[in-house]
Amino acid sequence: MLGDDAELTAALRAAQDGSESAFRTVYRAVHPRLLGYVRTLVGDHDAEDVASEAWLQIARDLERFDGDADRFRGWAARIARNRALDHIRMRGRRPAIGGDETELADRPAESDTAGEAMEALATDSTLSLIARLPQDQAEAVVLRVVVGLDAKSAAETLGKRPGAVRTAAHRGLKRLAELLSCDAESGGGLDALPPQREPRGRAVTSASVTHTRARTQKDM
């Protein structure tokens, strides 16, 4: 464990000991990717509110967490997913991502286009094309590529076997490669994520989360 992961693990330890500045470091490191994952589940309109609810739970339960940076990302993703599914059930609608599995016949991909799709997603933080995938593939791709989980951690988050997650991610990346190829041929490109809005309503920042965390600790 080197570099950023080592630093994030150290910040986690300090945050668990009550350091608000360390918690802000953790938040800044993990929030953008976690928000991207939530967007694939509930859509852009509700993503900030749902992610905020997830962070409030993360702050509340952080003292009970046991693990390093990699395990924390998986733990945070599971919390975010549960909050997103609760939100979907409350609103009585399907997840934002979707599609028909039959649309994805196993068509051959050019050379290493799946790898190129992964690189584009990782570098450009682009999620709009994932909305065209079936839910299982979209979640697998986002958890593996955007959030950065390994197959085992992603499987634990989704309640599936690692092999099933690898297969879903592979199929999703093949389909994304096809979509990228179509966009390139038509002169288009990957649609960028819409600019992040200012938090509204229940949305919170790292500062407000740490304030809530400090207040909770005092009340315990």
Side-chain angles (χ1 to χ4, degrees), residues 117-144:
M118 179 180 287
E119 183 179 355
L121 287 167
T123 57
D124 297 335
S125 300
T126 303
L127 301 173
S128 58
L129 290 179
I130 297 178
R132 305 184 196 180
L133 301 178
Q135 182 180 349
D136 64 328
Q137 295 178 14
E139 286 198 74
V141 168
V142 173
L143 288 173
R144 295 296 310 279

Side-chain angles (χ1 to χ4, degrees), residues 25-186:
T25 297
V26 172
Y27 178 91
R28 287 193 294 267
V30 176
H31 177 69
R33 294 183 177 195
L34 198 67
L35 179 62
Y37 177 44
V38 172
R39 275 193 173 115
T40 67
L41 291 168
V42 302
D44 184 63
H45 180 72
D46 297 326
E48 289 172 358
D49 285 346
V50 173
S52 296
E53 292 172 2
W55 275 106
L56 289 173
Q57 182 177 344
I58 290 167
R60 185 190 68 205
D61 297 344
L62 185 60
E63 291 179 353
R64 294 195 290 271
F65 170 75
D66 183 22
D68 59 10
D70 192 55
R71 288 185 63 84
F72 177 79
R73 281 189 285 265
W75 180 70
R78 286 193 294 277
I79 290 174
R81 187 175 196 266
N82 288 336
R83 296 289 70 75
L85 295 179
D86 287 345
H87 179 81
I88 290 165
R89 283 190 288 268
M90 182 180 67
R91 294 295 176 91
R93 56 184 177 79
R94 293 181 178 180
I97 52 180
D100 187 350
E101 184 74 31
T102 60
E103 294 175 358
L104 296 178
D106 283 335
R107 291 176 285 180
E110 303 269 343
S111 62
D112 190 28
T113 45
E116 293 171 6
M118 179 180 287
E119 183 179 355
L121 287 167
T123 57
D124 297 335
S125 300
T126 303
L127 301 173
S128 58
L129 290 179
I130 297 178
R132 305 184 196 180
L133 301 178
Q135 182 180 349
D136 64 328
Q137 295 178 14
E139 286 198 74
V141 168
V142 173
L143 288 173
R144 295 296 310 279
V145 180
V146 180
V147 180
L149 303 185
D150 59 23
K152 181 179 178 181
S153 296
E156 290 174 353
T157 300
L158 298 173
K160 297 182 177 181
R161 297 187 305 274
V165 173
R166 290 191 191 95
T167 298
H170 175 70
R171 290 177 178 172
L173 287 170
K174 283 183 65 176
R175 178 57 176 156
L176 286 172
E178 294 167 5
L179 294 172
L180 283 166
S181 177
C182 290
D183 280 354
E185 290 174 2
S186 65

